[in-house]
Amino acid sequence: MNQVQKLLIIGFVWPEPNSSAAGGRMLQLISLFKAQGFSITFASPAQNSDFMVDLQGYGVEKESIELNNSNFDVFIKELNPSVVLFDRFMMEEQFGWRVGENCPDALRLLDTEDLHCLRLARQKAFKDNLSFNISDLFVEDVAKREIASILRCDLSLMISEFEMELLESAFRIDTSLLYYLPFLLEPIDATVIQDLPTFEDRKDFVFIGNFLHEPNWNAVQYLKETIWPLIKRRLPESVLNVYGAYPSQKVLQLHNKKEGFLIMGRAIDAQEVVKIARVVLAPLRFGAGIKGKLLEAMQCGTPSVTTSIGSESMHGHLPWNGFITDDITDFADRAVQLHQDKTIWLKAQQNGFEIINQRYSKTLFESDFRVKIEFLRSNLPQHRLNNFIGSMLQHHTLKSTKYMSRWIEEKNK
């Protein structure tokens, strides 16, 4: 092994931790690898954004790369990373064959974020007013692409136990290719709790979520048209503050001061706006993965009302930090109950702290992840021999994608 371990992260976008849970997740992974002594380079073909994090402030080198450009081959050969992490399967599709050709001994990791095929299949079923069925996944082109990417990689990082089980049972993915690594959070202790606003210091309701993410936009429509009027009838003075990055004009048009439905746009500090709210509302009707907004609510000591989709794979056998319901009337009733009843509210808050500490504390995962990475790097040839289908896909993808990419590159000249 090289004395200086190098990690190359190939990102779909530059991390924006204040815009989405995915941005926060990426910084957690960077922190995890930094603790293992890795020198880290983050490369992306995305445009710079006003809200991207200063990677150099985290001790990470930033590199802009281009799709279908052999300059990447020169760059990665020179860097010679020992580990390459693809941020979402689309980046593995674009750059995986180049990594395999130029750095064949580099460990290839995929951070799935959530299963895109599951989210899209659920969204499609919802819009067609049908019940989602696991068999719906098999007709999705995205599923074929995503599963192929998982098979080509040496290890895929999964944030949802439900999605791991789905990959193993429905798609027959070998367990050796999957690794459960959820959001990695600081534990909640007495000092943290002491600094949080009290029940009396808080008021109103809040929804927060990136509006580029379709499940969030749908949830806000659902709140506006169906759920919020039921709550407002019971609590005439209450307000729902809706925060989220990248609101479109159709989102902004939902703003109605008279109805107490306020579109606030991007939150400068998401935790600050969640901390001063008494209840988080998250009526998500489709989606996948772990919901960052609901973990953030727990960190802020803010109870939530959500759906079975919202809470999926998040709390294990522990009680939720509020209520889970898919019934509209019950959702509104529970929201009012949490807002008004301090005893129930405090119990829900405590439940959230327990979920964070027992399921997401980074100390639970750090050492095991280090051992896993070291084991794979020491046993990579055998690990790949055991994954024949992945090797076969890597072989054929390298051939087909390579020539398509070369053709595009020539065409662009």
Side-chain angles (χ1 to χ4, degrees), residues 159-171:
I159 61 172
S160 163
E161 292 155 315
F162 171 79
E163 292 174 14
M164 274 187 74
E165 290 163 12
L166 182 68
L167 288 173
E168 290 166 17
S169 60
F171 293 102

Side-chain angles (χ1 to χ4, degrees), residues 184-188 299 356-357 360-362:
L184 306 164
L185 307 177
E186 295 293 339
I188 306 287
Q299 288 178 293
I356 294 283
N357 290 341
Y360 298 96
S361 175
K362 68 178 183 180

Side-chain angles (χ1 to χ4, degrees), residues 7 53 74 78 108 117 148 153 207 212 255 352 363 382 413:
L7 167 69
V53 77
V74 178
E78 192 175 305
R108 296 190 291 268
C117 62
C153 288
F207 173 90
L212 296 178
H255 183 86
T363 55
Q382 186 59 48
K413 288 178 182 175

Side-chain angles (χ1 to χ4, degrees), residues 224 248-256 263:
K224 169 76 171 176
S248 63
Q249 192 55 41
K250 64 182 180 181
V251 176
L252 298 173
Q253 285 173 349
L254 298 181
H255 183 86
N256 190 315
I263 304 296

